Amino acid sequence: MSTPARQLKLGAVTMGVGGPGQPYLWLDEDIPVDASVNIHWYIEQARLAEQAKFDLIFIVDSQFITADSPPHYLNRLEPLTLLSALAVTTEHLGLVATMTTSYNDPFNIARRLASLELISGGRSGWNVVTSGDAGAAGNFSRAEHYDYDTRYARGLEFVRVAQGLWDSYEEDAFPRDRATRTFLDPARQHALNHSGDHFQVAGPLNISRSPQGQPVIFQAGDSEQGRDLGATIGEGIFTHAPNLAAGQAFYQDLKSRAARKGRDPDHIVVMPGAAVFVGDTDDEAREIEYDLQNRDKDFDRALAELGRPFAWHDFRQYDLDAPFPQEALIFAERGFRTGAEKIAKAAQDNGWTLRQTVESISAPRQTPFAGSPETVATRLQEWFDARALDGLNYHIGHPSQWRRFREEVVPILQERGVVRTEYDATTLRGNLGLPVPENRYTRAREESLIRI
Ligand SMILES: Cc1cc2nc3c(=O)[nH]c(=O)nc-3n(C[C@H](O)[C@H](O)[C@H](O)COP(=O)(O)O)c2cc1C
């Protein structure tokens, strides 16, 4: 049997009226001003992604805001509720939601995702995050956010418990035989009886497995602990790749960590997120890129938003023309530390003042995927061939650009055989080429039979 050719995977990230760095995306007249809470808008985006044979739609989330948060964050739908609606209006598209392990319990997350699994026929995915928004603690009865080691240890145990709960029923647990009045085969129902450092969970979960066995696990943390969690449990990895070399380095690091843990690196799909800018020519695309980024330029908003990775520390209290206040890094200890460290290091290396730091991080910049449809397709193919990515997580922004990507870039990639022209499967695992995890109790029984 020949192995199917490796194909580029496509995800679509939705940030409705505008995520970080996009304070004025919502001024685009083609975006409904209520897009982030408008289910009809999401249904339309999912349909468009499905028409272009995308693998998945990804709904980001967090649970803490201030008045300075990006427009999309201020007023948005809860991911699983939203994805339940998309599950019944799409047929093939994977449905991936961010849910934090820091402010949930494994039983309720396992149950809600298992429900989405059955509603969608095996198309759900879970982006496991540990929350960088430290303020979420105050919304969940905690005085302060967990430190990095605790939140990632809790995250790993959380996922293991959820996976254990998803094995509560074996495939044939429900004979549903009216003649013998047998609904359940109790020998095929299993209590987890987990007792660990962070969770005590008896089980069983009150919902059966789906056509793909279990939801696909995604992960997006970039710290040492975050990469280690991704290499341990991630089947899809969301990340950022500012250039080819950085993408390759991350890809290599993640996959070799996974191999060292005894995992098959081919069973992990690395998908950096990126905005794409398409024009008739490369020059025109660069003009579009500059123009669209320039529309979002706003020094005061960028200064306020700089606080987010630093646990919403308020940088407005400092002298703008003094050196970047490195001491603010202590606030990032429980926030988005990796992102905060990158900013602080860039400021230090370049000797920037606070004003120069804000100007630099919010200035229009040339991104990797900008050009004519041919150029963008070729660049994507190069990154894919050079193992800087297995897939692209396309950032949906301006509708005209989203349309050009689907209608002008995707067909070129299809023609070259880089992306699919038809769905391979009905499940997300099937489309991503990921194996179905076997039920642990079924496997144990089969192995014990072989030994006899
Ligand atoms: C592509 C990408 C998407 C992410 N999506 C979310 C998200 O939806 N919600 C969230 O709380 N954190 C999200 N994160 C943040 C990380 O999961 C993590 O909490 C953060 O990066 C801080 O941890 P770290 O220092 O380990 O990276 C995302 C990160 C990346 C790179």
Side-chain angles (χ1 to χ4, degrees):
M1 225 175 69
S2 65
T3 349
R6 178 172 167 256
Q7 281 190 318
L8 178 81
K9 305 300 172 194
L10 289 175
V13 191
T14 51
M15 293 256 199
V17 290
Q22 299 179 308
Y24 301 115
L25 178 65
W26 63 277
L27 296 180
D28 186 322
E29 291 189 354
D30 293 332
I31 298 176
V33 280
D34 64 349
S36 298
V37 287
N38 180 337
I39 192 58
H40 302 290
W41 181 82
Y42 284 100
I43 289 172
E44 181 60 12
Q45 306 318 305
R47 282 214 185 105
L48 295 172
E50 197 166 62
Q51 272 167 13
K53 307 291 184 285
F54 271 54
D55 291 86
L56 59 92
I57 190 164
F58 169 39
I59 310 296
V60 300
D61 196 41
S62 71
Q63 303 187 94
F64 174 73
I65 54 167
T66 77
D68 295 319
S69 295
H72 175 67
Y73 289 19
L74 289 172
N75 183 22
R76 60 172 153 185
L77 297 176
E78 187 283 317
L80 278 196
T81 316
L82 153 60
L83 289 178
S84 300
L86 301 191
V88 295
T89 50
T90 54
E91 280 179 35
H92 295 278
L93 194 65
L95 309 166
V96 184
T98 289
M99 280 177 297
T100 177
T101 54
S102 294
Y103 302 106
N104 278 300
D105 254 42
F107 193 94
N108 58 16
I109 291 292
R111 185 178 186 208
R112 289 163 59 207
L113 273 166
S115 301
L116 184 62
E117 276 288 281
L118 293 189
I119 296 170
S120 65
R123 292 186 282 134
S124 81
W126 171 20
N127 178 35
V128 175
V129 302
T130 62
S131 284
D133 275 320
N139 292 333
F140 291 89
S141 314
R142 280 185 60 86
E144 82 178 334
H145 191 26
Y146 302 98
D147 61 39
Y148 260 68
D149 285 343
T150 310
R151 77 194 216 203
Y152 275 107
R154 184 186 153 101
L156 176 59
E157 189 179 332
F158 193 118
V159 174
R160 292 297 187 215
V161 172
Q163 290 172 324
L165 289 169
W166 289 327
D167 276 352
S168 292
Y169 287 117
E170 295 182 57
E171 297 295 344
D172 48 359
F174 292 100
R176 297 177 174 116
D177 184 350
R178 288 191 169 119
T180 59
R181 295 159 57 110
T182 311
F183 190 73
L184 168 75
D185 175 356
R188 301 286 193 262
Q189 183 203 58
H190 305 277
L192 182 64
N193 290 320
H194 171 84
S195 179
D197 293 339
H198 303 275
F199 303 105
Q200 284 71 47
V201 184
L205 190 68
N206 51 353
I207 183 162
S208 53
R209 279 160 64 94
S210 78
Q212 66 169 355
Q214 297 190 355
V216 180
I217 305 291
F218 290 80
Q219 197 278 339
D222 195 22
S223 57
E224 188 57 32
Q225 294 95 328
R227 288 183 183 209
D228 219 56
L229 180 68
T232 308
I233 51 110
E235 301 177 281
I237 304 290
F238 292 141
T239 179
H240 299 297
N243 55 54
L244 178 69
Q248 284 176 308
F250 178 85
Y251 186 103
Q252 180 61 34
D253 177 62
L254 205 285
K255 296 226 175 180
S256 35
R257 281 176 198 246
R260 285 199 295 276
K261 291 174 189 293
R263 298 185 62 205
D264 181 345
D266 289 342
H267 291 166
I268 302 177
V269 182
V270 175
M271 299 181 73
V276 177
F277 299 95
V278 184
D280 290 341
T281 61
D282 291 355
D283 285 346
E284 195 202 44
R286 288 293 178 201
E287 280 166 29
I288 293 171
E289 175 185 50
Y290 181 85
D291 177 49
L292 294 181
Q293 291 185 1
N294 206 36
R295 285 190 212 175
D296 273 316
K297 250 186 96 174
D298 181 324
F299 184 87
D300 291 339
R301 295 211 62 90
L303 176 62
E305 213 180 279
L306 173 65
R308 185 175 183 230
F310 298 81
W312 283 112
H313 181 60
D314 193 348
F315 282 91
R316 287 169 288 209
Q317 65 191 282
Y318 299 102
D319 176 358
L320 281 170
D321 295 309
F324 177 82
Q326 294 287 336
E327 64 274 19
L329 260 182
I330 54 162
F331 300 104
E333 258 322 295
R334 285 165 200 260
F336 292 86
R337 193 181 63 201
T338 317
E341 280 169 352
K342 281 184 191 156
I343 295 169
K345 184 168 183 315
Q348 184 140 43
D349 291 351
N350 294 292
W352 286 335
T353 60
L354 175 57
R355 184 192 306 280
Q356 288 168 323
T357 307
V358 174
E359 277 170 351
S360 157
I361 59 179
S362 60
R365 69 190 64 226
Q366 295 207 339
T367 59
F369 305 109
S372 69
E374 285 281 328
T375 299
V376 170
T378 301
R379 179 76 36 84
L380 268 171
Q381 197 172 348
E382 281 165 8
W383 282 47
F384 178 66
D385 291 341
R387 304 253 171 192
L389 48 76
D390 296 311
L392 173 77
N393 222 357
Y394 176 92
H395 284 205
I396 297 179
H398 293 276
S400 55
Q401 283 293 312
W402 174 212
R403 184 185 51 71
R404 291 196 75 162
F405 183 75
R406 293 187 325 270
E407 294 180 2
E408 298 176 44
V409 179
V410 172
I412 297 174
L413 292 169
Q414 286 177 328
E415 209 164 286
R416 296 181 186 174
V418 181
V419 301
R420 70 165 64 84
T421 50
E422 285 305 329
Y423 283 105
D424 311 296
T426 56
T427 65
L428 179 55
R429 282 183 187 282
N431 285 319
L432 291 179
L434 298 171
V436 172
E438 205 184 346
N439 183 295
R440 67 192 64 187
Y441 303 102
T442 311
R443 187 177 56 235
R445 196 179 37 258
E446 283 166 358
E447 282 171 0
S448 71
L449 286 178
I450 291 166
R451 277 199 296 274
I452 287 169

